[in-house]
Every structure is written in structure tokens, then in C-alpha cells.
Amino acid sequence: MQHAHLDVETGMTPARKRWSVAVHQISELRAGRGIHALEGRPWQLFVHFAFVLLLYVTVTLTIPISQVAEAKRGVDKFASSVTFEHGGGIEGEGNLESVSNVYDSILYGQAFIQELLTNDEDVHAKPGHKSKFFLEVNRLINSIVVVQRRVKASDCSYPAMKPMYKQCFESLDDHEITSGHLVLKNGRRIPYSERLDGFAVELPLSQDEALSGYQELMEGGFWDTATREFNLRFAFHNSPG
């Protein structure tokens, strides 16, 4: 029969005492590492703070944030100031806030182009330059682009309702058209642009020509029940800032 010998001071067997000492040493080692880790954290915090500060200085020096913000405010103010005459039996004048359907957006787009572009005799247009000015100091460049996103027709109605709903035009999520051509009533074919994410048409920076081209799109049925999103895109630049 084996007898377990107890330590007089601790009251533990030798094996249990050895385990206790090992656990105590491991605890001290972990505590020591924790202290060293805490001692190193202020330096890490300083390095991270310096990196964030450097990034902020770099961004503010390379990107004209205040100028871009000011330009955006100018564009928003201009867009809000454009008005159009309602159609479809609705009388009165509307603006961007009152646009509620595709027909309103078409009329607003026409009025926007008319206000955006100036006549050829514009006093702000410098001799020898075909570019126009936006908000008096920003030079319009390239062209105006009319872009729309469309959906394909689907069969979503119950058999009893098919006489009323022969075709459905649902959301972009599951039914968007992302290839092919949009054929207008006059035979003009407008291709889908992957770069612009929609069926796109460019209009020149001339008020008469741009409005004429826009009118052609209206008469050709560029917008219809399959239209789900429509926007006008234009670019301007101001080298002096």
C-alpha cells in the first residue's frame, strides 16, 4: 500500500504542490507579458495617430474638398431653381421637388438643358472657344449625356387579369435590360452602354442643337413604360479653382 506524503506548510501532496507551482509560474508569465504589452501600447497609439494625421494632411492637400463642396452646393441650387410647365392635364409650374413621374422628369430635363446651355451669342463665351460656362465661372466640357435604365416586359398577372395586364414592367433588380439596342419610332438605334450603365445619348453643348436632339428623343419614344431611371449628366471644370 502506498502512502501519500503531505507537505507540512501547504498541506498538499508533492505532486499537487508541483502542479500548483507550475500554474503559479504560468500565471506570472502571462501577467508579465500583459505588463509589457501595456507598456508598448502608447507607442502603437502614437504611430496610429501619426498615420491618421498624415493621411488627413495628404487628402486635404491633394483633393480640393472645400471647392468640391462649394461646387456641389452651386449645382444643387441651380437644379432647384429650374422650373418647367406641367403637362398631362396638370396646370401650373413645377420644379425638381415636384417631379413625381416619368413625364414630369422628361419635361424637367428639357427645361434643365435650356437653362444649362446658353445661346451662341453668350457674353461669357470667349472668342475662339466652343465651350460654355456653368454658374458663370465653370467651363462646361465634352457634352450632355442622357442616360436611362430600362426593364424588360414580364408576365406577372393572373390568367383572369391578362386582358388588363398583358405585360408587366417591374423593378430593376430582376428585370433590367443590360445589353442590345433601344429602337425608337423613327428607326434610330440607341445601344446599351456598359460604361454608363444604361441606354445613353450624347447631346452637344449648343442650346439649339441639344434641345432639338432632346425633342427628337421625346418624339421617338425614348421614354416609355419600361423606363425605370433617367438622368442627365454633364461635366464642368474650373482650373483656377
Side-chain angles (χ1 to χ4, degrees):
M1 181 181 294
Q2 294 181 351
H3 299 278
H5 298 281
L6 298 177
D7 186 275
V8 178
E9 296 180 357
T10 62
M12 294 185 295
T13 62
R16 187 172 181 180
K17 183 178 181 180
R18 287 194 294 271
W19 274 108
S20 177
V21 172
V23 171
H24 181 68
Q25 290 176 346
I26 292 174
S27 299
E28 288 184 343
L29 180 61
R30 288 181 175 177
R33 288 180 177 175
I35 293 173
H36 290 305
L38 289 174
E39 291 176 349
R41 284 181 181 177
W43 289 100
Q44 294 178 6
L45 181 61
F46 175 78
V47 171
H48 282 90
F49 177 77
F51 173 76
V52 172
L53 182 61
L54 178 63
L55 181 63
Y56 172 78
V57 172
T58 302
V59 169
T60 55
L61 290 179
T62 55
I63 302 177
I65 298 177
S66 59
Q67 291 91 334
V68 172
E70 184 177 354
K72 182 182 181 303
R73 286 193 295 269
V75 173
D76 292 341
K77 184 177 180 180
F78 174 81
S80 300
S81 69
V82 175
T83 59
F84 67 96
E85 291 294 329
H86 279 291
I90 302 177
E91 297 183 358
E93 197 174 70
N95 55 25
L96 181 60
E97 295 296 328
S98 65
V99 172
S100 60
N101 52 52
V102 174
Y103 192 63
D104 280 348
S105 68
I106 296 170
L107 297 177
Y108 174 82
Q110 187 178 39
F112 187 93
I113 291 176
Q114 184 170 0
E115 292 295 327
L116 178 67
L117 298 178
T118 54
N119 294 321
D120 294 335
E121 296 81 13
D122 176 33
V123 294
H124 296 298
K126 297 180 180 180
H129 293 276
K130 294 183 179 180
S131 300
K132 305 299 180 182
F133 283 82
F134 172 62
L135 299 178
E136 296 188 353
V137 294
N138 303 290
R139 186 179 295 277
L140 289 169
I141 58 177
N142 298 328
S143 60
I144 296 175
V145 184
V146 183
V147 184
Q148 73 153 302
R149 297 173 66 186
R150 300 172 57 81
V151 294
K152 58 185 176 182
S154 60
D155 183 6
C156 69
S157 61
Y158 296 106
M161 300 299 295
K162 287 190 182 296
M164 298 180 62
Y165 291 94
K166 296 181 180 180
Q167 291 181 324
C168 298
F169 296 93
E170 302 179 71
S171 65
L172 286 167
D173 295 335
D174 301 320
H175 303 279
E176 183 174 7
I177 303 174
T178 57
S179 62
H181 292 76
L182 170 60
V183 182
L184 303 185
K185 296 177 182 178
N186 57 10
R188 182 178 178 182
R189 295 169 60 86
I190 300 174
Y192 180 86
S193 172
E194 294 184 359
R195 181 174 63 88
L196 298 174
D197 294 325
F199 294 90
V201 178
E202 287 193 54
L203 300 176
L205 296 181
S206 166
Q207 188 186 69
D208 293 338
E209 294 180 24
L211 290 175
S212 176
Y214 196 87
Q215 184 66 31
E216 181 185 350
L217 294 178
M218 294 174 63
E219 295 173 354
F222 180 74
W223 298 273
D224 55 20
T225 52
T227 302
R228 285 296 173 270
E229 183 179 297
F230 152 60
N231 54 76
L232 289 173
R233 304 180 187 181
F234 64 96
F236 59 90
H237 179 71
N238 187 348
S239 291

